[in-house]
C-alpha cells in the first residue's frame, strides 16, 4: 500500500541521522500521530498482526537498515484533520509537506518527507471507506546491535489493543 513513497535522502548515508536516533526522535511522534488520529475519529487502528512489531527494522543496501511501519488502518477522518494533526507533529521535526496527491479513484494521499535523511510519513484518505497511515525511515546506519535494537523497538511499541488487527 505504501510502496510508492519510498524516498532516499539527499545526504549520503554516512551523513544521515542514524536509525537509533530516528527511533528515539521520530518514532514517538509517529506513535503520537497514530493515537491522535485514532482519537479524532479513526477509532481502533488495525496494525499488523499479533506478535509482529509495529515498527520492524530490516536491512537495506550493504550496510544500512530501515524501519518501515506496518500500515495502520482506521475509520475515515476528515482530510483537514489529518493535515492539521500531521503538520503539528512532522513539520517541527524538519519534514516537508504535506504533499497532497488526489487520485482518479477519489483517494487522496498525504506525504510528509524527510528530504535530507530519507523517509516519509504517509496517509491515504479513502472517502467512504478508511484511512491508512504508513511510514518509512529511509536507509540509515545503525549504531547498535540489530537484535538488541529490534528487541527494544518491540518493547517500546508492543502489541496492544487499539493498535492491532482483531483476531
Amino acid at each position: 500500500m505504501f510502496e510508492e513513497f519510498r524516498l532516499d535522502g539527499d545526504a549520503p548515508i554516512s551523513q544521515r541521522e542514524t536509525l537509533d536516533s530516528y527511533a528515539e526522535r521520530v518514532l514517538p511522534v509517529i506513535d503520537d500521530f497514530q493515537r491522535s488520529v485514532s482519537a479524532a475519529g479513526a477509532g481502533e487502528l488495525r496494525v499488523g498482526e499479533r506478535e509482529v512489531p509495529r515498527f520492524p527494522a530490516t536491512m537495506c543496501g550493504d550496510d544500512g537498515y530501515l524501519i518501515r511501519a506496518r500500515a495502520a488502518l482506521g475509520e475515515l477522518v476528515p482530510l483537514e484533520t489529518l493535515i492539521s494533526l500531521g503538520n503539528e507533529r512532522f513539520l517541527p521535526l524538519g519534514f516537508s509537506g504535506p504533499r497532497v496527491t488526489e487520485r482518479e479513484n477519489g483517494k487522496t494521499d498525504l506525504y510528509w518527507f524527510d528530504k535530507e535523511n530519507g523517509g516519509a510519513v504517509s496517509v491515504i484518505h479513502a472517502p467512504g471507506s478508511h484511512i491508512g497511515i504508513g511510514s518509512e525511515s529511509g536507509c540509515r546506519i545503525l549504531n547498535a546491535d540489530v537484535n538488541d535494537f529490534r528487541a527494544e523497538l518491540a518493547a517500546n511499541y508492543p502489541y496492544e489493543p487499539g493498535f492491532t488487527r482483531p483476531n
Side-chain angles (χ1 to χ4, degrees):
M1 178 185 308
F2 298 103
E3 292 297 315
E4 67 188 43
F5 80 91
R6 283 188 186 171
L7 175 76
D8 199 21
D10 293 338
I13 192 169
S14 63
Q15 295 176 13
R16 296 179 191 174
E17 174 184 37
T18 65
L19 194 62
D20 347 24
S21 177
Y22 172 89
E24 290 177 15
R25 186 179 73 89
V26 179
L27 286 186
V29 177
I30 294 171
D31 182 63
D32 178 61
F33 175 67
Q34 290 178 341
R35 292 175 189 282
S36 296
V37 169
S38 178
E44 178 178 316
L45 296 180
R46 296 167 305 283
V47 181
E49 300 171 20
R50 196 179 289 269
E51 305 306 321
V52 176
R54 286 175 50 208
F55 298 111
T58 58
M59 198 160 188
C60 59
D62 293 334
D63 57 355
Y65 288 86
L66 63 81
I67 296 172
R68 183 177 300 131
R70 303 285 182 208
L73 305 174
E75 300 298 320
L76 205 58
V77 172
L79 191 59
E80 299 76 22
T81 300
L82 296 168
I83 292 170
S84 177
L85 291 172
N87 285 346
E88 288 172 11
R89 285 153 181 84
F90 304 124
L91 297 182
L93 293 177
F95 282 50
S96 67
R99 185 182 85 192
V100 180
T101 304
E102 294 183 15
R103 297 195 226 166
E104 291 179 16
N105 62 7
K107 294 180 182 177
T108 301
D109 299 326
L110 305 173
Y111 298 96
W112 290 267
F113 292 105
D114 181 343
K115 290 187 177 261
E116 183 177 346
N117 296 295
V121 176
S122 69
V123 176
I124 293 174
H125 183 267
S129 182
H130 68 283
I131 56 107
I133 303 170
S135 66
E136 183 178 303
S137 66
C139 197
R140 299 164 187 244
I141 299 296
L142 178 61
N143 287 329
D145 175 79
V146 69
N147 293 323
D148 292 343
F149 183 70
R150 287 175 174 147
E152 185 177 330
L153 287 176
N156 289 340
Y157 304 100
Y159 167 87
E160 59 182 288
F163 281 87
T164 59
R165 178 173 290 128
N167 290 336

